[in-house]
Amino acid sequence: MKALNARPAWLALATHYAQIGSTHLRDLFAADPERGTRFVLEAAGLYLDYSKNRISGETIGLLASLARDCDLYERIAAMFRGELINTTEQRAVLHTALRAPACEQLWVGGVDVVAQVHCVLDRMSIFSEQIRSGTWCGHTGKPIRHVINIGIGGSDLGPVMAYDALKHYSQRNLEMKFVSNVDGTALAEATHGLKAEQTLFIICSKSFHTQETLTNALAARAWSLSQLGDEASVVRHFVAISTNTEATAAFGIAPEQTFPLWDWVGGRYSMASAIGLSTMIAIGPARFRDMLAGMRAMDEHFLHAPIERNMPVMMGLLAIWNNDFLGASTQAILPYEQYLSRFPAYLQQLTMESNGKHVTCDGAAVGCDTSPVVWGEPGTNGQHSFYQLLHQGTRLVPCDFIGFAHSLIPCQGDDRFFDNQHDLLMANLIAASEALAFGKTASELYAEGTEEALVPHRVVGGNRPSNTLLAMRLSPHTLGALVALYEHSVFTQGVIWDIDSFDQWGVEFGKVLAGLVLAELTESEHVALAHDSSTNALIRKYRHLQ
Ligand code: F6P
């Protein structure tokens, strides 16, 4: 197969970019008064305005041709069918089965995976209700009040993001904490002042091999036993989520307290699986199922909507356009909703671990840039730190703005004070996208009487692309739709680049090296080191400082 950047559909986009690349968004909007209502999409309760991208109708047509040329819809169908699309690990990729309704069946390798999913969901529901109602008691007979999720990467970022996002819906007499870092400070701070008799640990690790998680799990067990003093207490205070039930049993967690997942759920795609147990305990099984329904609504849309009406496909194709043709190497995620403060961090792993790849599925060089660097902060905080660069810096940073028509705060009544605050928040979101797109020209500044010497400093070039996502309010359903939207946008980008979006060999390499260095840090000073001179010197320095 021809390299992506040598294919006619790609070359047509390159030619088109040469023609349209310097056209300003001001001119695109001036030429088409309907643009702001034409380049919009609605799906699963989300409204996407993508009109402030540097595109024309022709751009969309050419991106759609590229998607067709890359067999996007065949690849989507293959994923939903359970084909082994994670080729380097020979695995199916079926996070979409996690949100399929119980009435459906999906047979993979002679097993109905949807039935398996619902069996685990039912077990999670029973356990969550026991914790929430206080009928699950700790070793001394007291109800659980603190739940600490121990996991890292996909076994942490989804749960912590979802807990923060849906805190408004959570049972407030239960406190959730999340420990990921192998830095002992994290667990020490999370357990500080807590009573072990009222603390439940969820040990979340798909592999149950991850060094950070196992280290923290052992430390948590030692902390718990230091207060409870009885090995028998472990069964009341530790549950596990893993595919590796042998390892969870060896850790001392009974099979009844182990909630399985499957090798076809990637870590960064796992928040709808048992990895989401902390979410379910926080918001309850019914709301967790609402979140699954939101994901499912977006899954259905992704599977069936035609390219030009398909929200995740369009977002994925626009990301390709911005990344590979406009040369933007980063992407900012800017939620104007404090509850979504961890959403950018969640999308960092989803996007960068999935698409930070340099070769195609066949092992050939991709030939163009792959995943952008994803970063972001909630608005309006970001406006007072890094937006200066977004408006006037020399780098192009496409932005995704995310906002809601209603705040969750005044939903008990119509308190005008909070309503005004929400209007203020949303005014800032809408104005930020306008400022980025249109900027301020020198002639406008002169017309306002700006002092000549200041004009160049105050000119805001504009022409900076952004998407705006709006929804009614942040709910479990909306969050589910939002997560699935980005999952499928990432998938779309991976298909265009023809990379395996579901492996992470680079991370595995880092883990192996860390294991080797760990052994050397603790060995005697006289043991020879065989790294490069910098690594050798750092190890010696650390040993010396110790
Ligand atoms: O960071 C690498 C990684 O393998 C992620 O993909 C995964 O989410 C994380 O480690 C944790 O893995 P596990 O759930 O197996 O502990």
Side-chain angles (χ1 to χ4, degrees):
M1 191 166 49
K2 259 192 181 162
L4 178 62
N5 57 6
R7 305 216 331 230
W10 189 271
L11 294 173
L13 275 160
T15 308
H16 172 66
Y17 176 69
Q19 292 154 1
I20 195 183
S22 54
T23 310
H24 200 289
L25 278 167
R26 280 185 215 121
D27 301 320
L28 292 171
F29 272 86
D32 176 7
E34 306 299 318
R35 185 180 170 91
T37 48
R38 209 155 59 80
F39 290 117
V40 298
L41 290 173
E42 290 198 52
L46 303 181
Y47 174 89
L48 167 69
D49 173 356
Y50 62 98
S51 65
K52 291 191 181 97
N53 280 281
R54 285 161 56 174
I55 52 161
S56 63
E58 191 184 349
T59 322
I60 297 300
L62 291 169
L63 286 167
S65 299
L66 177 67
R68 274 188 286 273
D69 189 53
C70 295
D71 296 331
L72 176 63
Y73 279 67
E74 286 77 10
R75 300 278 287 269
I76 295 171
M79 173 169 73
F80 277 73
R81 271 198 306 269
E83 287 182 21
L84 305 184
I85 63 164
N86 175 356
T87 49
T88 70
E89 295 179 314
Q90 281 297 293
R91 287 180 181 166
V93 175
L94 274 174
H95 44 281
T96 48
L98 298 170
R99 45 264 193 159
C103 57
E104 246 174 45
Q105 292 186 339
L106 179 61
W107 292 85
V108 178
V111 180
D112 176 9
V113 297
V114 178
Q116 283 185 313
V117 163
H118 282 273
C119 178
V120 175
L121 275 174
D122 291 344
R123 282 188 54 210
M124 288 166 63
S125 302
I126 292 168
F127 183 70
S128 301
E129 286 298 17
Q130 286 175 332
I131 298 289
R132 287 164 64 82
S133 63
T135 50
W136 176 278
C137 294
H139 187 60
T140 61
K142 293 204 172 145
I144 298 298
R145 285 288 164 258
H146 313 283
V147 177
I148 302 185
N149 188 88
I150 295 182
I152 197 163
S155 298
D156 168 70
L157 288 162
V160 74
M161 179 278 289
Y163 176 60
D164 276 5
L166 302 176
K167 202 178 231 165
H168 174 78
Y169 303 92
S170 70
Q171 186 172 308
R172 297 290 183 148
N173 66 352
L174 280 169
E175 184 192 29
M176 302 283 152
K177 296 189 179 199
F178 298 85
V179 172
S180 53
N181 200 333
V182 75
D183 184 339
T185 309
L187 183 70
E189 283 297 335
T191 51
H192 184 76
L194 298 192
K195 290 184 178 149
E197 61 179 348
Q198 294 200 284
T199 304
L200 175 81
F201 289 95
I202 302 177
I203 313 300
C204 256
S205 176
K206 179 180 164 186
S207 60
F208 227 77
H209 279 317
T210 305
Q211 192 188 49
E212 292 91 334
T213 302
L214 294 193
T215 305
N216 277 321
L218 287 170
R221 199 170 115 144
W223 173 82
S224 186
L225 288 176
S226 72
Q227 288 189 26
L228 297 173
D230 185 352
E231 280 283 341
S233 65
V234 171
V235 295
R236 305 301 298 173
H237 294 274
F238 284 81
V239 297
I241 320 292
S242 188
T243 54
N244 187 351
T245 43
E246 274 178 28
T248 55
F251 184 86
I253 300 176
E256 313 83 74
Q257 263 93 260
T258 300
F259 298 86
L261 69 156
W262 307 274
D263 71 358
W264 42 261
V265 186
R268 51 194 176 271
Y269 297 86
S270 66
M271 59 176 273
S273 74
I275 295 288
L277 183 63
S278 58
T279 316
M280 191 190 270
I281 293 173
I283 63 172
R287 288 188 172 124
F288 190 85
R289 285 174 198 263
D290 282 349
M291 183 183 82
L292 299 184
M295 291 175 149
R296 169 71 177 188
M298 188 57 78
D299 293 345
E300 290 274 314
H301 168 80
F302 181 51
L303 194 54
H304 300 298
I307 296 183
E308 289 86 350
R309 306 302 311 155
N310 194 312
M311 194 183 283
V313 169
M314 282 314 303
M315 283 200 35
L317 294 175
L318 290 167
I320 297 273
W321 173 247
N322 288 333
N323 192 64
D324 289 315
F325 295 93
L326 273 69
S329 56
T330 83
Q331 157 85 63
I333 307 293
L334 308 167
Y336 278 62
E337 169 55 74
Q338 190 59 33
Y339 284 125
L340 284 181
S341 62
R342 297 288 288 162
F343 198 56
Y346 171 75
L347 291 186
Q348 274 179 336
Q349 187 201 14
L350 178 69
T351 312
M352 292 160 75
E353 198 166 80
S354 295
N355 285 344
K357 310 287 165 65
H358 68 298
V359 292
T360 64
C361 292
D362 291 339
V366 182
C368 60
D369 279 327
T370 57
S371 176
V373 175
V374 171
W375 58 286
E377 279 290 322
T380 58
N381 291 359
Q383 290 178 207
H384 298 272
S385 63
F386 54 80
Y387 274 41
Q388 169 59 34
L389 181 150
L390 301 186
H391 289 299
Q392 287 188 306
T394 53
R395 296 170 195 282
L396 188 72
V397 183
C399 299
D400 282 0
F401 293 99
I402 303 170
F404 299 91
H406 298 281
S407 162
L408 294 174
I409 299 306
C411 67
Q412 301 298 328
D414 58 350
D415 184 328
R416 274 313 296 171
F417 181 72
F418 285 121
D419 279 359
N420 283 340
Q421 264 190 279
H422 192 67
D423 292 345
L424 187 55
L425 177 73
M426 290 304 290
N428 274 280
L429 179 158
I430 294 168
S433 78
E434 185 183 19
L436 285 171
F438 301 104
K440 185 133 194 163
T441 62
S443 44
E444 284 166 342
L445 287 160
Y446 281 122
E448 285 172 6
T450 308
E451 193 186 320
E452 186 157 5
L454 272 184
V455 167
H457 298 279
R458 295 192 56 184
V459 164
V460 177
N463 212 20
R464 315 241 175 183
S466 69
N467 290 314
T468 299
L469 281 161
L470 294 179
M472 191 65 89
R473 60 171 53 82
L474 180 56
S475 64
H477 192 280
T478 317
L479 181 71
L482 209 48
V483 166
L485 168 64
Y486 278 95
E487 285 176 346
H488 298 324
S489 164
V490 164
F491 178 81
T492 299
Q493 294 166 59
V495 168
I496 302 296
W497 290 316
D498 189 27
I499 56 182
D500 187 335
S501 297
F502 302 100
D503 60 11
Q504 56 282 318
W505 295 107
V507 185
E508 307 303 335
F509 170 65
K511 286 183 193 171
V512 173
L513 282 195
L516 294 178
V517 172
L518 174 66
E520 289 164 342
L521 286 184
T522 49
E523 277 166 358
S524 123
E525 295 223 1
H526 305 293
V527 173
L529 297 172
H531 303 272
D532 60 277
S533 60
S534 160
T535 310
N536 286 344
L538 287 169
I539 293 171
R540 283 198 200 96
K541 187 75 181 168
Y542 178 79
R543 283 174 176 169
H544 178 71
L545 290 172
Q546 281 262 299

